[in-house]
Amino acid sequence: MKKSIASRWLPERLRIALCPDRVVVARLGFGLRSRILDKRIVDCADTDSDLPWQAPLAALGDVLAEFATPGTSATVIL
């Protein structure tokens, strides 16, 4: 089992861009300069013009299941 060298005092952060046609999630590392550790872009088909945010919110739930860990803070940009 590989041990993480990440400090619990400096947790990773998520930046989430939520758009009607896509979701972008970036996992940022800590340190003197933030750096992108991983990034996902999920395109969302417009399934219902009356509810344009439904598809991106559903996709966000799936992406967060992969990215989010307990204690991770997130900033969401609409």
Side-chain angles (χ1 to χ4, degrees), residues 7-78:
S7 169
R8 294 188 188 273
W9 298 106
L10 297 171
E12 295 173 348
R13 298 175 309 272
L14 293 180
R15 294 294 184 264
I16 301 167
L18 194 59
C19 308
D21 62 339
R22 79 180 79 98
V23 176
V24 180
V25 180
R27 188 166 45 99
L28 303 176
F30 53 84
L32 295 176
R33 301 180 119 199
S34 293
R35 64 188 190 284
I36 296 175
L37 300 175
D38 199 359
K39 180 178 172 181
R40 295 277 196 285
I41 300 173
V42 179
D43 291 321
C44 303
D46 185 16
T47 58
D48 188 359
S49 60
D50 292 337
L51 301 170
W53 292 98
Q54 188 171 4
L57 288 174
L60 177 61
D62 295 338
V63 173
L64 286 180
E66 295 177 27
F67 271 77
T69 58
T72 302
S73 65
T75 301
V76 178
I77 303 163
L78 299 176

